[in-house]
Each structure stands twice: as structure tokens, then as C-alpha cells.
């Protein structure tokens, strides 16, 4: 939605209340605009290119080496490809939130007869749509390099439940970062560096034993590695409470930070 479009809507502040207070219709209209903007920007195309590029870059040079150790690298690589696709969706969410803030669109929304939560919920719905597309594209890429569901129906559903939950939480976190960061450039840096470092320094691409001993505790316990561990255990039908507990704690932490950032971004807009 452009600033001029939002500005034209502000005239509705003078219409009768029954024509103004329709939060569900407002949410639906903003969601459709968000999804159409994702289409126009080509983000759905990048949602497909991102996991394919990642799969090619890591699977081709490392598959023969990992296979020699008795590890099916396509099976091993699947969780991190999915999580990196989720990370792409989150980065897009942060940039959209940041552009809306810097272009004054969020400020215009605040003068409309619209509940404060409607724009955020519309952005979340748009992010979920892109997240679903990213998960589908990641699945296609992983299937192409040899991944096959090993945990049956329950394990496969559990695998994607974990991926989707983590994706929604990271999207909320990214939305808050976009509101607080202050500019698209700062938002890009705030999203890129942690995602790159945590992704590369995780058990997603190689086992923890392949890292130097001094950094293995960090690699083993950081959130991406914990998410990967849960997804692999679920995929193999070997999930236990001991494996699941760290992921639950990390998800609670992500939710708490996301809520804090969203509150800070909302207060920043009102100041």
C-alpha cells in the first residue's frame, strides 16, 4: 500500500461509525495488499531460489564426503535448508515492516479508525503466506537432493509443525526488528549477520564433532542447532523430551523478545 493510498483512506475518519469499525474487513484488505505486494516484488520467486541455491552450494561439494562416513547428506541437510528458507521469509518480513515505518504508512494507519493490532495482524498473515510458500519450495529442493520422510505421518507432521512454529516466531521477531531498527539498511544488517553466523556455526551443515573443541559448546547449544536437532529427531521418529526441551525454551525466549520489540516499535510510532 502506497502512502497516497493510505492517505486517501484517512478521509474515512469522518464517516459514520458503522462504516468505520470493521476490523475483520480492514485486516483482510491489508492482508490482500500485502500478499499482492509480495507477488509484485518477486519474493515468491526468491522463496524458491533460496533453498535451491543453498542445496546446490552445500550438497554438491560435500555429499560425497559425508556419504563416505555413512551419512545420507540429503537427509542430514534437510532441516537447515528448511530453516534457512524460514530465515528468508523472516528477512522479508523485517524489510516490509521497516519500509512501512520509514515511508510513514504506519503513521497514517494510526490516524484511521482502525484497531492498533490490525496492521500487525495483516503483516503476520502476509508473512505466514510467504512462510508456507518457503516451506513448500524447501521441501521440493530437499526432495531433489534425496531427502525422504522417515518418521511416517506423525513424524512428518511433527517436523513441519516445528518448522512452521519457528517460522512464525522468527517472523514476529523480524517484524519487531523492522519497527525498531529505524531504517531498511539497519534492518538488513540486524537480520543478516545473526542469521548468517548462527546458520554457519550450527550442526545444520556438519556434525558438531567437525568444529574445533573450544567452540563446540556454542555450536551445540545455540538455537539453530537445537531446532535442527528436534527436526532430525522428529523426522526419524526418535523425538524425546530431552531433545525437545531446549527448543521449547528457545521458542519461549523468541516470543518474549518479539513481544518486547513489537511493544517498543508501537510506542516509538506513537512518540
Amino acid at each position: 500500500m502506497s502512502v497516497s493510498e493510505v492517505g486517501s483512506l484517512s478521509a474515512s475518519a469522518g464517516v459514520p461509525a458503522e462504516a468505520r469499525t470493521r476490523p475483520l474487513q480492514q485486516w483482510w484488505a491489508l492482508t490482500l495488499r500485502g500478499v499482492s505486494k509480495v507477488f509484485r516484488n518477486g519474493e515468491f520467486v526468491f522463496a524458491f531460489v533460496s533453498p535451491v541455491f543453498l542445496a546446490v552450494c552445500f550438497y554438491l561439494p560435500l555429499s560425497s564426503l559425508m556419504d563416505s562416513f555413512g551419512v545420507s547428506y540429503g537427509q542430514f541437510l534437510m532441516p537447515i535448508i528448511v530453516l534457512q528458507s524460514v530465515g528468508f521469509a523472516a528477512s522479508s518480513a523485517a524489510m516490509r515492516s521497516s519500509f512501512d515505518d520509514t515511508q510513514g504508512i504506519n503513521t497514517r494507519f494510526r490516524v484511521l479508525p482502525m484497531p492498533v493490532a490490525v496492521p500487525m495482524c495483516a503483516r503476520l498473515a502476509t508473512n505466514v503466506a510467504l512462510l508456507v510458500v518457503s516451506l513448500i519450495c524447501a521441501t521440493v529442493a530437499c526432495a531433489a537432493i534425496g531427502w525422504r520422510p522417515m518418521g511416517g505421518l506423525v513424524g512428518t507432521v511433527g517436523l513441519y509443525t516445528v518448522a512452521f512454529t519457528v517460522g512464525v516466531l522468527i517472523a514476529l521477531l523480524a517484524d519487531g526488528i523492522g519497527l525498531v531498527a529505524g531504517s531498511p539498511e539497519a534492518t538488513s544488517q540486524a537480520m543478516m549477520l545473526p542469521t548468517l553466523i548462527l546458520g554457519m556455526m550450527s550442526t545444520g551443515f556438519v556434525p558438531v564433532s567437525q568444529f574445533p573443541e573450544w567452540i563446540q559448546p556454542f555450536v551445540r547449544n545455540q538455537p539453530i542447532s537445537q531446532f535442527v536437532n528436534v527436526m532430525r529427531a522428529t523426522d526419524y521418529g526418535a523425538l524425546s523430551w530431552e531433545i525437545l526441551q531446549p527448543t521449547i525454551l528457545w521458542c519461549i525466549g523468541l516470543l518474549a523478545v518479539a513481544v518486547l520489540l513489537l511493544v517498543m516499535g508501537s510506542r516509538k510510532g506513537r512518540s
Side-chain angles (χ1 to χ4, degrees):
M1 179 181 291
S2 66
V3 175
S4 60
E5 287 176 315
V6 178
S8 65
L9 289 176
S10 62
S12 64
V15 302
E18 61 271 13
R20 290 188 277 125
T21 56
R22 295 175 179 175
L24 187 59
Q25 292 183 6
Q26 293 169 337
W27 167 81
W28 181 246
L30 293 180
T31 299
L32 288 180
R33 288 179 179 274
V35 172
S36 64
K37 187 175 181 180
V38 167
F39 269 110
R40 291 196 306 271
N41 292 345
E43 292 179 50
F44 283 139
V45 175
F46 284 108
F48 176 75
V49 172
S50 175
V52 170
F53 180 78
L54 193 66
V56 169
C57 287
F58 284 92
Y59 179 77
L60 291 182
L62 295 177
S63 59
S64 58
L65 176 63
M66 296 296 288
D67 289 343
S68 67
F69 289 103
V71 176
S72 173
Y73 199 47
Q75 206 75 26
F76 185 88
L77 204 58
M78 186 269 186
I80 192 63
I81 292 178
V82 170
L83 290 176
Q84 289 292 330
S85 298
V86 165
F88 163 78
S91 297
S92 297
M95 295 303 294
R96 281 194 302 274
S97 176
S98 178
F99 276 117
D100 283 354
D101 192 51
T102 56
Q103 293 176 354
I105 294 177
N106 291 335
T107 302
R108 295 295 184 94
F109 281 151
R110 281 187 284 272
V111 304
L112 295 176
M114 178 188 300
V116 176
V118 167
M120 186 195 73
C121 291
R123 290 196 305 270
L124 178 59
T126 301
N127 297 335
V128 167
L130 183 59
L131 172 61
V132 170
V133 173
S134 297
L135 290 175
I136 293 172
C137 295
T139 301
V140 173
C142 291
I145 62 174
W147 172 78
R148 298 295 182 270
M150 304 290 290
L153 178 61
V154 174
T156 304
V157 171
L159 171 68
Y160 284 99
T161 298
V162 172
F164 183 79
T165 301
V166 171
V168 170
L169 290 174
I170 295 179
L172 284 171
L173 180 65
D175 195 30
I177 291 174
L179 291 175
V180 172
S183 70
E185 293 78 11
T187 301
S188 177
Q189 295 175 4
M191 290 298 301
M192 182 183 300
L193 291 179
T195 302
L196 179 63
I197 293 172
L198 291 179
M200 299 302 297
M201 302 294 291
S202 74
T203 58
F205 298 106
V206 295
V208 67
S209 59
Q210 300 301 308
F211 290 89
E213 289 188 8
W214 60 271
I215 203 171
Q216 286 184 11
F218 170 78
V219 173
R220 184 182 299 109
N221 296 298
Q222 58 112 326
I224 299 298
S225 292
Q226 294 298 330
F227 298 154
V228 165
N229 292 342
V230 167
M231 292 174 68
R232 285 192 184 128
T234 306
D235 190 26
Y236 283 101
L239 185 62
S240 65
W241 173 248
E242 182 180 359
I243 298 174
L244 182 61
Q245 185 180 18
T247 290
I248 292 177
L249 295 177
W250 275 115
C251 286
I252 293 173
L254 286 175
L255 179 60
V257 175
V259 170
L260 176 62
L261 289 175
L262 289 169
V263 171
M264 290 173 59
S266 177
R267 290 180 176 176
K268 171 189 170 185
R270 292 197 298 266
S271 61

